[in-house]
Amino acid sequence: MGSMKSCPPGLVLRSQQRWLFAGLGMAFGVGLVQQLVFPVLPPQAKLPPTLPLPNGWQPAGAPDELAKEIAGSGPGWSREIRVGVSHRLTQASGGWLVITPIAARDLKAFDAERISRFLPGLRLQGAKILTLSPEQRQLAVGRLQGAPAYQSCLSPRGTMAAEQKLLRPLLSPPDPGFRTKALQSLVPSSDRGYACLLLTTNRLALLDQSAAARQFSTRLAQATVWPQ
């Protein structure tokens, strides 16, 4: 009776490695196809049903010309960016405020200043960046429809920034580590993303470094449901 030949351990290990690499390659391919054909949109910040508004401010009634320009608009150059429905608020004295949720899947693609340039009703003309000290509250100053307007992005921390360089650190979470990053690249999650609230107004007092402006931004950030 002949003896059964055994497979060398080295060959078994190499065979297992080939199956492992094949499985990883297939998973990566499926994840890549899903992102290209059925991209997972980044989650947006959800505003509360009742906004914590300063005295004298209230939701606008029928959409006006600016609201019509904003509706349905969005940047067509990237599927990584998501622009939400704008909420327009008004003041009896003529003040207005537009709150627009924006989100990105990749933090490197998050540039609120660039995104706003693709929103016709929110694109500031001749915008200049103004950094207020000592809080490093940053906003863009320009003109909308020929009148002065101000714009900044409210982060989950309650701090506002307009430039990508200053805004990205405010949105950046702790480093998840290599294994988590690898899993996230293979299996896209609908719960992962970066978001801020783009605030556009003709009232500097809502965005400056006054106590009232700080209180408004803090309360709004705390009342908003942010993606994790």
Side-chain angles (χ1 to χ4, degrees):
M1 183 174 180
S3 60
M4 183 179 296
K5 294 183 179 180
S6 60
C7 185
L11 292 179
V12 175
L13 180 60
R14 284 195 293 271
S15 177
Q16 292 175 342
Q17 288 176 343
R18 283 196 295 269
W19 279 106
L20 175 61
F21 292 142
L24 289 175
M26 182 177 296
F28 177 79
V30 171
L32 181 60
V33 171
Q34 179 183 359
Q35 293 186 54
L36 293 176
V37 181
F38 305 105
V40 180
L41 294 176
Q44 296 177 332
K46 297 180 181 179
L47 293 172
T50 303
L51 293 171
L53 301 174
N55 293 333
W57 288 85
Q58 60 183 3
D64 56 15
E65 291 304 319
L66 178 59
K68 291 178 181 178
E69 289 185 18
I70 300 170
S73 59
W77 41 265
S78 175
R79 287 188 289 181
E80 294 291 317
I81 304 297
R82 187 179 181 185
V83 179
V85 177
S86 293
H87 296 257
R88 183 172 170 82
L89 313 165
T90 58
Q91 190 182 38
S93 61
W96 56 263
L97 166 67
V98 177
I99 303 177
T100 307
I102 59 176
R105 174 69 56 195
D106 184 2
L107 186 58
K108 295 180 180 179
F110 206 114
D111 189 342
E113 184 182 10
R114 185 185 180 195
I115 294 172
S116 68
R117 293 201 299 266
F118 286 83
L119 304 177
L122 301 179
R123 183 172 57 243
L124 296 185
Q125 302 296 325
K128 296 182 179 180
I129 301 299
L130 176 64
T131 301
L132 306 174
S133 58
E135 291 188 11
Q136 296 297 304
R137 291 170 69 90
Q138 188 186 65
L139 58 133
V141 181
R143 302 183 74 82
L144 268 179
Q145 300 180 347
Y150 312 91
Q151 191 174 78
S152 192
C153 222
L154 178 65
S155 74
R157 305 181 187 185
T159 307
M160 295 186 299
E163 286 182 316
Q164 183 185 37
K165 183 178 180 180
L166 187 58
L167 181 61
R168 281 172 54 184
L170 300 177
L171 305 177
S172 179
D175 190 340
F178 175 77
R179 294 180 62 182
T180 302
K181 288 181 180 178
L183 180 62
Q184 289 175 350
S185 64
L186 294 175
V187 185
S189 170
S190 60
D191 298 328
R192 193 178 72 253
Y194 308 94
C196 76
L197 297 178
L198 187 66
L199 307 180
T200 310
T201 181
N202 64 343
R203 293 291 188 258
L204 177 60
L206 282 178
L207 305 183
D208 64 13
Q209 57 184 352
S210 65
R214 291 197 303 269
Q215 183 183 41
F216 167 63
S217 59
T218 299
R219 291 175 60 193
L220 180 57
Q222 291 175 346
T224 300
V225 179
W226 302 93
Q228 301 298 318

